[in-house]
Amino acid sequence: MKYRSLDIGVIGGGLLGSAFAYGFSQRGLNVGLIDEGDNAVRTARGNFGLVWVQGKGKGMREYAQWSLKSANAWSTFSNDLFDLTGTGVDYHRPGGFHISVDEAELEEHVAMLEQLRSEAGEEGYDYELVQGQTLAQHLPGIGEQVPGATYCPHDGHVNPLRLLRALQEGFDRNGGSYLPLLGIDRIEPLNSGGFELFSKGRRVAGCEKLVIAAGHGSITLGNQVGIDVPIHPEQGQIVVTERSAESLAYPTNLVRQTDEGGFMLGPSARDVGFDADTNTGTLQEIVRRCSTAFPYLRGLHIQRSWAALRIMTPDGFPVYSQSEEFPGAFAFSCHSGVTLAAVHAKDVCQWVLDGAIPSAYRCFGSERFDVSAAN
Amino acid sequence: MFQQRTDFSDPVTLSFEGREIMANRGDTLAAALLGCGIFDFRRAVVSNTPRAPFCMIGNCYECLVEVEGKGLVQACLTEVVEGMRVNMGSPRKPVASGNDSADV
Ligand SMILES: Cc1cc2nc3c(=O)[nH]c(=O)nc-3n(C[C@H](O)[C@H](O)[C@H](O)COP(=O)(O)OP(=O)(O)OC[C@H]3O[C@@H](n4cnc5c(N)ncnc54)[C@H](O)[C@@H]3O)c2cc1C
Ligand code: FES
């Protein structure tokens, strides 16, 4: 493969990297998207597909606003993608329900939303508690044991695999260079401000600006340009049923019905390191909860299940950093790469081009975990 | 696409949508139907367009058909049986009323 000279090099072809690469290519830049491949941990290929606002950002108001901002930009974002590529991503935004399967859960969840509401102050926080007949009208077939659910009008869902494909197609249409099967193992900052990228001792590309978005691979890459990326894996499992006639009009935290008719059930959360295998106990628990919510699911066959590894930060909020030592280098990691795809392609790309993360968003820097800074 | 089958050495008779068809013992239902020129196994749940087997190894669930007495099965994983009565697969509709046909 020949050496590429790029304006911007993006390392990592997952949901973050692909959104950035697409965003830069929309601005006519010479962008390279470099991806390691199937032997890397690839979260973008195993997620649940929610574009979700409700319940996010307790303790960090900026993250709640950031999620809402992205959700509000999603419709235009997906339309633009469709116009460019012809690939629809099945984005719908009827609002979403967070279902609690027992009283204790409901109480805890409502308390959390009330906390978010109080943190939002005058700006307000949109959600309502829905119970009994009203709930059954919106979610026909909801289990009798379900004490209630909360509805947030800003929530939606999407086909995440189509999203990944559309972003990469769009990037390709715009003339971007996709460099697959290329694990970057060495970054060499240049005196001129640019970077040289190496794979297995080979110099593969040079770029003026560098965006590290390699999911779990970002830690070691970030270190090489002086950026601390404090992330760890959190395993999530998902169960998919056979396709079935449309019966669930809203996405929920537990179950959503895809445009093809299948139900996705999930997602669990376990701390098991880099283990991406499913286990029976967890799958049973997913099915138990989801069929408590919708007993009719018991009549459907399970078609497949899988596990994937979330990219979690210590507080669950994104980590967006720029290198102090080499200001052309940025590293971005977050859990909700589907939800935030719209702002990643738009706002975050602009930060990189402007050469700095705006002060309003510095709260997402990894310095917040720095003990000495907190004192 | 496929050659019409004529070599029925160990024949089995079954029916699809009331039409009598022949197969060999040991055939999968999917192979038997395709061998008789049947490509319309079911209709897609959402678009209502015709569907036929895609993977033939139990992965894609495109080949669902209704076998009398057994319900919805994957035709590519089901062996033909003498007298089997098969119909096009119709999607299970999750019933909201609570009297769901819990058959799993
Ligand atoms: C079970 C589950 C459910 C989820 N549900 C949702 C949801 O409903 N909504 C939502 O918004 N988010 C959800 N997520 C989170 C979402 O999937 C992630 O936020 C997103 O995939 C993260 O994208 P990423 O690009 O950072 O990482 P990844 O998608 O993992 O991509 C990283 C890429 O970098 C590449 N790479 C790694 N190292 C190197 C290297 N050295 N050189 C070159 N390339 C490299 C890999 O090949 C990979 O393709 C879910 C996650 C899980 C696990
Ligand atoms: S043809 Fe794919 S499951 Fe039967």
Side-chain angles (χ1 to χ4, degrees):
Chain A
M1 209 197 63
K2 70 175 199 305
Y3 175 85
R4 306 283 181 130
S5 197
L6 308 162
D7 294 337
I8 302 184
V10 179
I11 308 181
L15 271 171
L16 267 64
S18 301
F20 297 138
Y22 163 74
F24 291 128
S25 74
Q26 286 286 82
R27 294 160 166 91
L29 293 154
N30 171 18
V31 197
L33 176 61
I34 304 163
D35 190 60
E36 180 171 354
D38 279 342
N39 53 345
V41 181
R42 298 170 111 186
T43 309
R45 286 157 176 79
N47 73 74
F48 200 60
L50 297 177
V51 176
W52 213 246
V53 177
Q54 109 166 262
K56 283 185 179 158
K58 188 180 124 201
M60 194 200 243
R61 176 78 191 125
E62 293 87 347
Y63 181 46
Q65 289 166 321
W66 186 231
S67 300
L68 180 58
K69 182 174 188 183
S70 196
N72 286 337
W74 240 97
S75 173
T76 309
F77 169 66
S78 63
N79 288 339
D80 288 351
L81 266 178
F82 181 77
D83 290 343
L84 178 64
T85 65
T87 297
V89 299
D90 301 347
Y91 174 60
H92 305 289
R93 196 195 197 186
F97 283 90
H98 180 108
I99 299 168
S100 298
V101 296
D102 60 45
E103 288 288 353
E105 256 185 34
L106 183 64
E107 207 173 296
E108 195 182 322
H109 179 68
V110 169
M112 199 255 283
L113 293 181
E114 279 304 311
Q115 172 75 28
L116 278 161
R117 186 169 269 173
S118 80
E119 286 172 17
E122 281 180 4
E123 274 176 50
Y125 191 86
D126 296 327
Y127 91 88
E128 61 188 283
L129 176 63
V130 187
Q131 291 172 293
Q133 275 304 94
T134 324
L135 184 59
Q137 271 163 19
H138 285 97
L139 303 176
I142 186 96
E144 279 170 13
Q145 279 183 48
V146 173
T150 56
Y151 174 76
C152 167
H154 306 304
D155 296 332
H157 60 152
V158 65
N159 179 326
L161 292 177
R162 282 172 169 272
L163 170 62
L164 188 65
R165 177 175 151 184
L167 289 169
Q168 295 187 359
E169 272 177 352
F171 167 70
D172 185 59
R173 286 276 164 102
N174 288 335
S177 321
Y178 179 52
L179 313 177
L181 304 176
L182 207 56
I184 299 299
D185 44 36
R186 191 156 76 84
I187 302 170
E188 192 181 296
L190 302 174
N191 291 334
S192 62
F195 303 87
E196 294 281 8
L197 308 180
F198 294 79
S199 180
K200 297 194 181 106
R202 231 164 17 101
R203 204 168 64 110
V204 293
C207 52
E208 298 293 316
K209 289 193 173 174
L210 177 66
V211 172
I212 299 170
H216 290 289
S218 293
I219 301 177
T220 51
L221 294 170
N223 280 341
Q224 299 185 41
V225 289
I227 302 178
D228 181 31
V229 182
I231 53 171
H232 65 275
E234 179 194 85
Q235 195 213 53
Q237 299 184 22
I238 288 174
V239 174
V240 180
T241 72
E242 69 181 282
R243 292 167 182 187
S244 156
E246 192 195 330
S247 54
L248 182 57
Y250 299 89
T252 77
N253 58 319
L254 297 175
V255 183
R256 71 180 193 91
Q257 190 172 20
T258 67
D259 273 21
E260 290 85 10
F263 290 88
M264 292 181 81
L265 324 184
S268 60
R270 292 203 311 154
D271 182 5
V272 288
F274 282 93
D275 175 357
D277 286 338
T278 55
N279 66 303
T280 318
T282 305
L283 294 175
Q284 278 172 333
E285 180 60 10
I286 289 174
V287 170
R288 187 192 66 76
R289 288 172 59 80
C290 293
S291 57
T292 302
F294 298 101
Y296 62 69
L297 292 173
R298 294 191 189 116
L300 296 174
H301 286 271
I302 289 171
Q303 282 192 349
R304 56 192 101 246
S305 60
W306 64 78
L309 299 171
R310 294 187 182 86
I311 292 145
M312 289 310 283
T313 59
D315 56 10
F317 308 134
V319 178
Y320 299 154
S321 304
Q322 177 174 20
S323 169
E324 274 183 38
E325 208 178 338
F326 311 105
F330 295 78
F332 302 110
S333 313
C334 73
H335 166 53
S336 291
V338 180
T339 305
L340 297 177
V343 282
H344 284 163
K346 200 168 166 224
D347 303 59
V348 175
C349 284
Q350 195 56 47
W351 305 346
V352 172
L353 297 182
D354 292 345
I357 297 176
S359 55
Y361 296 102
R362 295 274 169 80
C363 54
F364 293 129
S366 60
E367 305 80 53
R368 69 180 186 272
F369 306 114
D370 196 337
V371 182
S372 55
N375 287 337
Chain B
M1 182 161 54
F2 296 102
Q3 285 265 297
Q4 203 82 7
R5 291 272 299 269
T6 46
D7 58 324
F8 297 109
S9 51
D10 189 2
V12 171
T13 313
L14 57 151
S15 74
F16 183 75
E17 291 286 326
R19 167 183 158 197
E20 191 165 288
I21 63 169
M22 297 264 281
N24 268 328
R25 202 170 305 281
D27 282 354
T28 66
L29 186 49
L33 295 178
L34 292 171
C36 295
I38 294 165
F39 303 122
D40 200 355
F41 279 46
R42 65 180 181 95
R43 294 300 161 96
V45 179
V46 176
S47 62
N48 206 33
T49 47
R51 282 293 184 275
F54 179 66
C55 72
M56 294 294 272
I57 56 167
N59 271 336
C60 71
Y61 287 73
E62 290 296 339
C63 62
L64 294 172
V65 292
E66 199 96 37
V67 172
E68 274 189 34
K70 284 181 92 176
L72 211 52
V73 300
Q74 283 163 280
C76 72
L77 297 184
T78 307
E79 232 178 271
V80 293
V81 174
E82 177 62 40
M84 195 179 224
R85 294 218 291 226
V86 187
N87 285 302
M88 279 176 71
S90 48
R92 263 183 281 269
K93 183 161 170 46
V95 268
S97 60
N99 59 341
D100 45 314
S101 57
D103 57 355
V104 213

